[in-house]
């Protein structure tokens, strides 16, 4: 492979057929923006942010359920920061908190163990959203809750898996020529799942880390592989072919595959993980949360699958800004709209 300086020159001067490359990891979306990578590429290289931000793909029914739970006198909802500001059908968890609901931001799911132990009079519900990256953490949380017999700790789950949504994007006309495979997800699942997807879909995948130099090398590799199948792993210091077997085992102990609803995409068969029946007492009502009500004019659904660029949404930068976000893609620091806005990207 060429050295980095040669790769940068080649990417800037590329004059072949247009290449559409999608990343499906919110951290990649943020890293691409932070490193100014779009400005280093030929206009014929199009980077598209796919459905890789967990907050962005969570349907409004999940938010509505969390708001309902938080309004109960004996219940407190625990969540990461980004989710607090995402609106449901009517209000966000931040709005509910202003109305007196019990909502608390935490930095780790494991904090909920101590809270539940110290306050048995209240039920603590953790908003468990995410992809294969965070599901093992929720499994470890359950492991501890089961061991301690914490009957006042529950999860409301909206857990997604990558392979099925990638299939959905390709099948539904995304026009994608290659995928930057999510490094964090691959660390758990292994790079092998992307090799299988490449063979099935006829599109190349390159597993990447998050440094600017590695992302540039990844984009260069995908351009070189355009029109071919194959998977390359450029993140071998973290990602193996088989993945983290122990993490996979603990996830399979507590969760099983399920159909799941995605913002703007509807229900995708086999694209989620739900609690196994034997652990249903720890579920706070996750089943059947499928409804999704986009704010009027919001185009997050089309942005998430690459049909529109964020700035093509009529609300972008006008009614919808990071300080007054209408859509989930503008709320999260991993969201494509947020990153387009803060970087001034076009």
């Amino acid at each position: 492979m060429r050295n980095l300086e040669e790769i940068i020159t080649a990417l800037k001067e590329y004059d072949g057929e247009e290449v559409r490359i999608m990343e499906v990891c919110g951290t990649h979306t943020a890293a691409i923006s932070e490193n100014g990578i779009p400005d280093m590429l030929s206009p014929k290289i199009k980077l598209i942010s796919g459905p890789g931000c967990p907050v962005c793909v969570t349907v409004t029914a999940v938010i509505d359920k969390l708001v309902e739970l938080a309004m109960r006198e004996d219940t407190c909802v625990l969540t990461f920061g980004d989710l607090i500001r995402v609106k449901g059908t009517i209000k966000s968890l931040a709005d509910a908190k202003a109305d007196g609901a019990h909502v608390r931001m935490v930095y780790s799911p494991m904090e909920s163990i101590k809270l539940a132990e110290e306050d048995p009079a209240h039920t603590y519900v953790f908003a468990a959203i995410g992809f294969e990256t965070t599901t093992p953490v929720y499994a470890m949380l359950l492991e501890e809750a089961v061991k301690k017999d914490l009957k006042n700790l529950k999860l409301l789950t909206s857990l997604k898996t990558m392979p099925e949504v990638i299939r959905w994007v390709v099948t539904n006309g995304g026009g994608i020529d290659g995928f930057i495979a999510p490094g964090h997800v691959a660390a758990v699942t292994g790079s092998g799942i992307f090799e299988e997807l490449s063979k099935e879909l006829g599109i190349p995948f390159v597993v990447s880390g998050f440094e600017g130099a590695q992302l540039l090398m990844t984009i260069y590799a995908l351009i070189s592989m355009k029109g071919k199948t194959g998977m390359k792993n450029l993140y071998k210091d973290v990602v193996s072919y088989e993945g983290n077997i122990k993490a996979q085992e603990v996830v399979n102990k507590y969760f099983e595959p399920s159909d799941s609803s995605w913002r703007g995409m509807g229900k995708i068969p086999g694209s989620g993980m739900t609690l196994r029946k034997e652990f249903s007492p720890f579920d706070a009502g996750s089943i059947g949360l499928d409804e999704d009500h986009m704010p009027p004019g919001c185009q997050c659904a089309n942005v998430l699958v690459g049909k529109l660029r964020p700035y093509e949404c009529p609300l972008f930068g006008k009614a919808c800004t990071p300080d007054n976000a209408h859509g989930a893609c503008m709320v999260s620091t991993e969201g494509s709209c947020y990153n387009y806005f803060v970087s001034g990207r076009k």
Side-chain angles (χ1 to χ4, degrees):
M1 182 177 282
R2 297 180 177 185
N3 63 40
L4 182 59
E5 190 172 312
E6 291 172 329
I7 286 172
I8 291 172
T9 300
L11 291 175
K12 191 67 176 177
E13 296 179 353
Y14 175 77
D15 195 32
E17 293 182 357
E18 181 176 283
V19 183
R20 288 166 55 86
I21 295 171
M22 176 175 278
E23 87 272 0
V24 281
C25 171
T27 310
H28 277 153
T29 299
I32 286 168
S33 178
E34 289 165 4
N35 286 280
I37 288 176
D39 294 332
M40 303 169 73
L41 305 178
S42 158
K44 291 194 171 184
I45 302 172
K46 308 292 186 184
L47 297 185
I48 301 162
S49 299
C53 162
V55 166
C56 303
V57 299
T58 300
V59 296
T60 51
V62 173
I63 308 300
D64 293 343
K65 183 65 177 180
L66 288 168
V67 168
E68 175 199 320
L69 291 166
M71 294 299 294
R72 296 178 184 177
E73 196 63 41
D74 63 347
T75 302
C76 179
V77 167
L78 307 175
T79 180
F80 295 131
D82 280 355
L83 193 67
I84 287 179
R85 296 175 53 229
V86 176
K87 285 190 178 295
T89 304
I90 297 173
K91 62 177 68 174
S92 66
L93 282 169
D95 297 329
K97 186 174 183 179
D99 292 339
H102 306 290
V103 180
R104 182 165 177 170
M105 188 183 80
V106 295
Y107 294 98
S108 166
M110 301 309 289
E111 292 179 45
S112 57
I113 295 289
K114 184 179 179 183
L115 290 168
E117 281 185 307
E118 293 179 348
D119 184 14
H122 287 84
T123 295
Y124 287 86
V125 176
F126 195 92
I129 69 166
F131 293 102
E132 292 96 335
T133 309
T134 48
T135 306
V137 180
Y138 300 133
M140 293 303 298
L141 171 62
L142 286 164
E143 187 106 296
E144 194 70 10
V146 169
K147 185 168 69 176
K148 292 178 178 290
D149 194 27
L150 290 175
K151 298 189 182 343
N152 64 325
L153 178 59
K154 298 180 183 296
L155 301 183
L156 191 80
T157 61
S158 181
L159 299 170
K160 315 291 189 188
T161 53
M162 271 294 165
E164 294 76 14
V165 76
I166 289 174
R167 288 187 183 98
W168 192 97
V169 169
V170 173
T171 303
N172 286 271
I176 309 302
D177 296 304
F179 282 89
I180 301 175
H184 289 149
V185 167
V188 176
T189 65
S191 61
I193 67 166
F194 299 106
E195 183 173 85
E196 293 170 9
L197 278 171
S198 176
K199 291 176 182 176
E200 176 187 336
L201 302 173
I203 297 173
F205 287 75
V206 177
V207 181
S208 179
F210 304 91
E211 298 295 327
Q214 189 166 100
L215 283 163
L216 288 168
M217 292 177 186
T218 296
I219 294 165
Y220 179 79
L222 284 167
I223 290 170
S224 303
M225 298 166 73
K226 184 180 185 297
K228 305 173 184 175
T229 60
M231 181 277 296
K232 289 185 178 179
N233 181 5
L234 299 186
Y235 200 28
K236 289 183 178 179
D237 53 336
V238 173
V239 176
S240 67
Y241 190 84
E242 299 80 10
N244 188 327
I245 302 301
K246 288 186 177 179
Q248 294 169 23
E249 288 174 348
V250 73
V251 166
N252 291 333
K253 178 179 178 180
Y254 290 99
F255 297 98
E256 60 186 357
S258 64
D259 299 343
S260 186
S261 292
W262 296 65
R263 175 158 293 199
M265 288 168 268
K267 185 173 286 189
I268 301 177
S271 66
M273 299 289 281
T274 52
L275 281 166
R276 291 187 177 276
K277 288 182 180 179
E278 56 265 41
F279 301 108
S280 59
F282 290 96
D283 189 273
S286 310
I287 305 301
L289 301 180
D290 300 319
E291 291 296 319
D292 195 25
H293 301 281
M294 305 291 287
C298 176
Q299 294 295 315
C300 275
N302 287 321
V303 168
L304 282 167
V305 297
K307 291 183 177 179
L308 287 180
R309 297 299 181 95
Y311 56 80
E312 293 174 323
C313 174
L315 303 184
F316 180 84
K318 302 179 182 76
C320 186
T321 67
D323 291 331
N324 183 36
H326 283 235
C329 296
M330 187 66 88
V331 173
S332 174
T333 56
E334 294 187 349
S336 53
C337 292
Y338 175 91
N339 281 282
Y340 266 72
F341 184 90
V342 298
S343 66
R345 180 176 166 191
K346 291 291 184 182

